[in-house]
Amino acid sequence: MKSRLYLNIESKRKNANFHMPGHKSRDFTKLGWEYFDTTELEGTDNLNNPQKEIREIERQISKSYASKECIISVNGSTSLIMAGIMGSCREGDCVAVARNSHKSVFSAIYYGRLKTLFIDPVLDPIYGYPVGIDLKHLEAELRKTRVRALVMTYPTYYGTCDDLNAVKHICDSHDVLLIVDEAHGAHFKHSMEFPPSSIDIGADITIHSTHKILSSLNQGAVLHVKSDRVDMENIRRHMAMLQTSSPSYPIILSVEEAVKFMNENGEKKLEKIQGFYERVKKALEGTKFTLIHDKISREILQVDKAKIWLAPGGVGKILAEDYNIDIELDDGKTALCMMGVGTVIEDVDRLITALKDISEKGLFKDSLEDSKRALFPKAGNKVMEAWEIDRMKKRMVSIKKAAGKVSASYLVPYPPGVPVVCPGEMVSDAAADYLYSMKEGSVDGMIEDKMIYILDEEQTL
Ligand SMILES: Cc1ncc(COP(=O)(O)O)c(C=O)c1O
C-alpha cells in the first residue's frame, strides 16, 4: 500500500501549481531517477572535489552567467550561503545582514562564530512586510562599524528589489564584500525586462537556487564568484563539509539542464511570465484583489514579475480545496503565487477565474484589518552572540510567557524561513504575541504546546 505522503502528492497531479519548484511538475529533464542516480566512478567525477566532468559543467554554467567561477550544490542555496559566508569571513569578523535574511545566513553566523551588525529592514506601512533596506541607514552603520561583508537578499521572497547598484557603491566605499542571496533570482540574467543580476552589478558572491523559478530538481543551486577578493577554494572546502558525501547525480544534471534551458529559451519564457503577470493584474482590476507590488509606498526600483503577491490573503485554503490550485504562501494577510519556467497560460487562467469567483462571492475577510498585528515584529535587544548560547543552561517556557527572556533558539516561521527571534536575543512583546498567534508546528524552534527554549536565568551571565 502507498503511504499517505505518496498519495497526497499524487492527488495533486492535476492541480494548477503556483509554488516552488519552478518546473511545476512538468517534465523538463526526462531523466529516469534510478538510471542516473549513480556514484563517483571513472567518468562521473566528484561534486565535492570536481576535476573533470562536473567541473566542465560548472565552467559552462559560469560562462552562461559571466561569472569567474561557480560551484554546484545538491543541498540548495542553504549550504552555499553558509559556505559563501564562512569561506570568506574569519571567526570574529563582523558581517552586516538585513534582519529579514533567510535562516541559512544566521546558520553561517552561528557556525562561523561571526559577529553581526543587523540592519533593520524598511517595513511597508500598509501591510508591514520587509521590503528592502534604507541605504542612508546602511551607509551610517557601515561608517560606525568595521564590517567584512554585507549579505543582501535580492530579490526578497516577495519579489521586491533594492537598488543593488547603490548598495554595491556603498560596499566599495567601505571596502566591504558584497554577498548576494539571489536564491529567487536565477532568472534575472536571462531577460532585460527583469531586475539586473547581482553578478552583472559586481557582487563578490552570488547564490542562486535553480529550483525556485528555473527547472532543476529541488535542492539544485549554484554559487557564483565574480571577484578576486574571495578565496574560492576556501568556499569549496566549507561546501564539501556542509554537503552530503553522496551527491545526487539527477540533481547535478538537472541543474545543468535548467541552465541550458534558460540559455536556449530563457528570454522568451520570461517574456511569457511577464505577460502572465500583466494578464493577472489586468484581470483583477475591479475585483477585491490588489497586487501588492503596485501598492508599496516605498520607492522600490524593480520587482520580480514571477511573483504574484496579492492582498487580501486568507484565500490559499479556498483555492486549494475549491479550485485545485496550490499556492506558495498564504499568511492570512496576503497570498503569494509563484510562477516558474513550468507555468503555462492554462494555469494562469485557472487562477484568474478562481480569484474572480472568490472576489464575487466575497469568500474572504478583509486582511487589512488584520494588518494591525505586527507581521515582522521588532527584534528584542541582543544580549550575546547567537553561538554563545551553546554553553549556557537552558529551560523551557511557553511563548506566551517568554517576553523579556533571552531566547536559546532560532524561532523561524516557515515559509518564508526568516528568524523572528535569534538565540541570544530578548524575546520582544511583539514577537511573543506574533509567535503565539501562529499555528502549532508552523514555527521552527517552537515545540509542542508552543514552548520555546530560553536561557536559564539562574546562571550568571
Ligand atoms: C531568500 C531565500 N534564500 C535562501 C533560501 C534557501 O534556498 P534553498 O531552498 O535552495 O536551500 C530560501 C528558501 O526558500 C529563500 O527564500
Side-chain angles (χ1 to χ4, degrees), residues 30 37 47 66 73 88-89 104 144 155 243 248 263 281 304 319 322 340 343 367 396 399 405 449:
K30 309 220 168 4
D37 198 19
L47 183 66
S73 160
S88 49
C89 299
S104 53
K144 278 192 273 179
Q243 178 165 251
S248 156
N263 288 342
K281 180 171 161 166
D304 174 12
L319 283 169
D322 298 352
T343 302
S367 51
M396 279 203 296
I399 186 67
K405 314 269 192 245
D449 296 330

Side-chain angles (χ1 to χ4, degrees), residues 20 75-78 81 102 104 153 157 181 183-184 209 211-212 414 416:
M20 297 183 244
N75 197 29
S77 288
T78 297
I81 288 170
H102 184 258
S104 53
T153 308
Y157 181 69
D181 171 359
H184 288 264
S209 292
H211 60 92
K212 295 194 191 297
Y414 209 91

